[in-house]
Every structure is written in structure tokens, then in C-alpha cells.
């Protein structure tokens, strides 16, 4: 186990555009105190030229929280890392894993796996600017550049800057022909490649990502790597996180009941609504809470049909919860 960074990354929830916004993260935090949460990717362009305060905003109760940046200009990234540090983020992560056409045009994401030195320059520039950890999220390769040696060159070049933490999505990205969704499903998962990365670079903190769905699987991966990042399953079936503090972080706590998790959201939702946030912008992240239980569909449907109405309030959520008997 790597001890140099104070952040405990044994379990984290992945950055997911449109999904892991601040409301989602506040909700996930009610399920696990210690799981590290990542923001959606924010591009340097958005932070430098857009509504910066809005992009950086989060609730202190979400912490520990890492911001993910998208960009390839070292000066811009350094400035954005500095904004993130000033706002109290616990980590800055660079996206070198997203394969969408749109980000490729901006030289953002997985296409940067072909340019290890550019990524190293970006990481170095950010490290020179901030004292919080700067980490990389990447694939195990891209089409045309998917050999073991190329992966080692990529990781090694970046590690030379002093970067210690690498989050490896255990599949390659195919930059032409597959859309982002297909790129999360079609290229096969190769966990053994990520395990081998840890063996080859034992001093680095290697976090594995891709297709992991349970804490039992997490525990299995932790025998080979330093941490596990879960994406889709944590969003679609968030209650899997409820036992994380006990099972993954070794804390002597019991999992919170689903209804108590929901009740913990009520004051937050009321406050956010008083600030003009619409109920359904928050409740959309709660739909999977009762996944697998009798009444889960009724819960989802009630929220979907009612949370957007002008008169909707936290009572709408309470009425939805009353439809689930557990
Ligand atoms: C809706 C959605 C949005 C995503 N957005 C991002 C993103 O902004 N940055 C990123 O690095 N990865 C993004 N990803 C990829 C995830 O972080 C993760 O690497 C991928 O889903 C594989 O993990 P999983 O199988 O546990 O979901 C996204 C995935 C999904 C499903």
C-alpha cells in the first residue's frame, strides 16, 4: 500500500459526464464516508472562459473529492489546477481516457496516449503549481498503440515527473469507429495488464477501473493493485457503496439503511431548491437507490412522473419512498 499521498484511494467513484455532478456526489457521500469521489470532466476552456464558479462549486460535505480536468495545454492546465486547489479540491486528475470525437478535436482525452511527453509536460506544469496530488486516468492503450512496451513508455514517461498515481481503465480505446459508449463495452477488459503494471512499477499507486460491480470484486482486485474505481455500477446501483467503509476502508461502522440515506438528502434538497435548483436535477441521481428491491420500479416511476412538476417538493420524494417496502 502506498502511503505517500494522504488520500485513501482504495475505492473511488469514477468521473462521469452528466452523472457525477455535485448533487450526485453529495448523495453518494451519504452512502460512504471514505470513498473518493471524482467530478465530471471539466475542460480548461470551460474553467478559463466559462462560468468558473459554477464549474468549481461543490458542497464541503462531498469531500474527499477530486476534480478531473480535460486539456493538453500545460499553462492552461496549471492555471486550472491552481483554481481547483484554491477551491479546496483534494486532487487534480487529468483525463487521458475519454475517446469521444469532440474531445479528440480539442486534443483532450485518450488521443493523448499517443503523446506521452505532452501528458508529462501537462502533469509537470500542474505539479509545479499545486501541492495537492496530480493524477492521471488513462486506458491501457489506443488502437495502433496498444502494446505492452508502449503502455510502459506512457506510464514511465509520466512517472518521471514525480506523478505517483495512475488510474488505468483496463481496456484500450478505439479512436475511430466506436462511440464513447461502445468504447466502454466492446474492447475487452484486460485486468492482467493492469496487475502487471503494478508489478512493473511497484512504487506507483495503480488504481484499476472497468467493469467492476461489487465490493467482493473490489476486494479481489485489491490483492493485486492499490485501488479500485467503480463507474456505472456505482451510479446505477449506488447502494453497493453502503458497505464500503466497513469492507474496504476497515472502519467499524454499519451500512446506513436506504431510507435513512434518502432522509439525509431532504435538508440538502430543500436548501438547494431554495437556491433555485430544480428537484428533478437532484432526484435523477437517486433513481437506483432501491435497485433490486420490491417497489424499486414504483419508486423510480413516481419520481420520473412527478419530480419535474412545478409543485414538486421534498414531499414528492417522501411519497416515492413510501412506495418501497423494505
Ligand atoms: C455517462 C458516463 C460518463 C463518463 N464521463 C467520463 C469523464 O468525464 N471522464 C472520464 O475519465 N471518464 C468518463 N467515463 C468513463 C468512466 O469514468 C469509467 O472509466 C468507465 O465507465 C469504466 O468504468 P465502469 O465499467 O466501472 O463504468 C464516463 C462513463 C460514463 C458511463
Amino acid at each position: 500500500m502506498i502511503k505517500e499521498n494522504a488520500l485513501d484511494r482504495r475505492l473511488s467513484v469514477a468521473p462521469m459526464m452528466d452523472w457525477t455532478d455535485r448533487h450526485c456526489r453529495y448523495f453518494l457521500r451519504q452512502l460512504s464516508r471514505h470513498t473518493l469521489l471524482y467530478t465530471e470532466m471539466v475542460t480548461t476552456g470551460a474553467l478559463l472562459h466559462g462560468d468558473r464558479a459554477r464549474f468549481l462549486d461543490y458542497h464541503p460535505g462531498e469531500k474527499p473529492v477530486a476534480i478531473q480536468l480535460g486539456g493538453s495545454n500545460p499553462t492552461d492546465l496549471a492555471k486550472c489546477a491552481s483554481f481547483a486547489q484554491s477551491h479546496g479540491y483534494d486532487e487534480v486528475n487529468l483525463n487521458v481516457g475519454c475517446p469521444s470525437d469532440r474531445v479528440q478535436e480539442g486534443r483532450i482525452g485518450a488521443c493523448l496516449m499517443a503523446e506521452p511527453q505532452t501528458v508529462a509536460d501537462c502533469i509537470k506544469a500542474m505539479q509545479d503549481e499545486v501541492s495537492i496530488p496530480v493524477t492521471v486516468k488513462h486506458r491501457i492503450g489506443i488502437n495502433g498503440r496498444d502494446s505492452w512496451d508502449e503502455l510502459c513508455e506512457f506510464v514511465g514517461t509520466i512517472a518521471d515527473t514525480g506523478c505517483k498515481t495512475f488510474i488505468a481503465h483496463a481496456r484500450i480505446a478505439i479512436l475511430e469507429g466506436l462511440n464513447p459508449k461502445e468504447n466502454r463495452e466492446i474492447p475487452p477488459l484486460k485486468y492482467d495488464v493492469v496487475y502487471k503494471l503494478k508489478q512493473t512499477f511497484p512504487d506507483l499507486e495503480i488504481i484499476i477501473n472497468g467493469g467492476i460491480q461489487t465490493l467482493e470484486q473490489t476486494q479481489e482486485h485489491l490483492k493485486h493493485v492499490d485501488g479500485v474505481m467503480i463507474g456505472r455500477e456505482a451510479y446505477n446501483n449506488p447502494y453497493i457503496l453502503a458497505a464500503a467503509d466497513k469492507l474496504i476502508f476497515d472502519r467499524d461502522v454499519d451500512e446506513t439503511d436506504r431510507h435513512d440515506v434518502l432522509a439525509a438528502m431532504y435538508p440538502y434538497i430543500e436548501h438547494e431548491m431554495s437556491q433555485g435548483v430544480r428537484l428533478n436535477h437532484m432526484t435523477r441521481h437517486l433513481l437506483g437507490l432501491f435497485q433490486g428491491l420490491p417497489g424499486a420500479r414504483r419508486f423510480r416511476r413516481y419520481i420520473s412522473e412527478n419530480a419535474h412538476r412545478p409543485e414538486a417538493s421534498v414531499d414528492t420524494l417522501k411519497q416515492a419512498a413510501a412506495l418501497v417496502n423494505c
Side-chain angles (χ1 to χ4, degrees):
M1 179 57 55
I2 305 286
K3 299 259 188 231
E4 287 164 39
N5 293 334
L7 274 184
D8 192 335
R9 297 187 184 79
R10 277 179 284 182
L11 182 64
S12 56
V13 175
M16 290 180 282
M17 291 295 284
D18 292 331
W19 288 12
T20 54
D21 66 12
R22 63 191 179 91
H23 308 306
C24 174
R25 298 190 306 263
Y26 189 88
F27 166 59
L28 296 177
R29 182 58 72 221
Q30 307 314 310
L31 290 153
S32 164
R33 193 57 250 132
H34 299 283
T35 300
L36 177 60
L37 304 177
Y38 283 77
T39 67
E40 309 164 87
M41 177 183 75
V42 193
T43 62
T44 51
L47 278 185
L48 291 171
H49 311 297
D51 182 353
R52 187 179 312 151
R54 183 172 72 81
F55 285 115
L56 290 173
D57 192 24
Y58 67 90
H59 188 290
E62 291 170 32
K63 279 165 80 75
V65 59
I67 189 168
Q68 187 187 57
L69 297 180
S72 55
N73 178 304
T75 312
D76 290 352
L77 282 165
K79 275 189 206 148
C80 293
S82 170
F83 296 147
Q85 174 165 277
S86 306
H87 260 73
Y89 282 95
D90 297 288
E91 171 189 319
V92 178
N93 174 264
L94 182 65
N95 183 342
V96 191
C98 179
S100 93
D101 290 346
R102 202 157 44 90
V103 301
Q104 277 184 65
E105 282 161 22
R107 273 181 78 226
I108 295 173
C111 59
L112 293 174
M113 288 210 68
E115 301 181 50
Q117 193 54 51
T118 305
V119 177
D121 293 344
C122 292
I123 297 292
K124 175 88 176 58
M126 289 192 277
Q127 281 170 342
D128 287 347
E129 199 63 33
V130 298
S131 54
I132 53 175
V134 178
T135 68
V136 186
K137 179 168 180 280
H138 61 97
R139 298 278 183 140
I140 56 171
I142 48 177
N143 52 312
R145 220 190 130 79
D146 60 358
S147 70
W148 170 247
D149 288 347
E150 283 159 327
L151 177 59
C152 289
E153 187 208 345
F154 177 81
V155 170
T157 306
I158 294 156
D160 285 345
T161 67
C163 180
K164 283 260 168 283
T165 305
F166 292 74
I167 303 161
H169 184 172
R171 46 164 68 90
I172 66 162
I174 298 182
L175 295 181
E176 298 89 26
L178 293 189
N179 65 33
K181 185 167 183 291
E182 290 166 334
N183 257 312
R184 293 192 286 269
E185 290 163 3
I186 293 174
L189 283 164
K190 296 188 175 169
Y191 295 137
D192 52 323
V193 172
V194 183
Y195 295 171
K196 202 165 136 196
L197 212 49
K198 178 64 192 174
Q199 287 157 14
T200 311
F201 296 94
D203 295 338
L204 298 181
E205 183 180 32
I206 303 290
I207 314 293
I208 197 164
N209 167 244
I212 300 162
Q213 295 188 311
T214 65
L215 295 187
E216 289 67 34
Q217 291 167 4
T218 299
Q219 287 170 317
E220 206 44 48
H221 286 297
L222 286 175
K223 294 177 184 161
H224 305 277
V225 290
D226 301 295
V228 169
M229 173 180 270
I230 302 184
R232 288 163 289 188
E233 193 65 15
Y235 189 84
N236 293 323
N237 185 16
Y239 202 68
I240 60 158
L241 296 178
D245 290 349
K246 187 174 195 158
L247 293 182
I248 307 299
F249 294 99
D250 308 318
R251 305 299 157 112
D252 189 15
V253 286
D254 287 328
E255 45 203 86
T256 314
D257 174 83
R258 287 173 168 89
H259 286 281
D260 293 340
V261 169
L262 205 56
M265 291 301 291
Y266 298 155
Y268 173 86
I269 289 175
E270 274 173 340
H271 175 263
E272 291 293 321
M273 286 183 79
S274 76
Q275 302 300 304
V277 177
R278 292 174 55 174
L279 179 69
N280 58 337
H281 289 184
M282 297 177 273
T283 53
R284 70 191 184 100
H285 303 303
L286 315 181
L287 297 176
L289 179 60
F290 294 97
Q291 166 106 336
L293 294 182
R297 277 180 63 181
R298 282 196 300 269
F299 175 78
R300 293 177 77 102
R301 190 180 316 140
Y302 193 87
I303 292 180
S304 303
E305 287 174 359
N306 295 291
H308 63 279
R309 295 178 191 274
E311 70 279 12
S313 72
V314 100
D315 287 339
T316 311
L317 203 50
K318 289 180 186 170
Q319 284 147 10
L323 298 171
V324 194
N325 22 18
C326 68

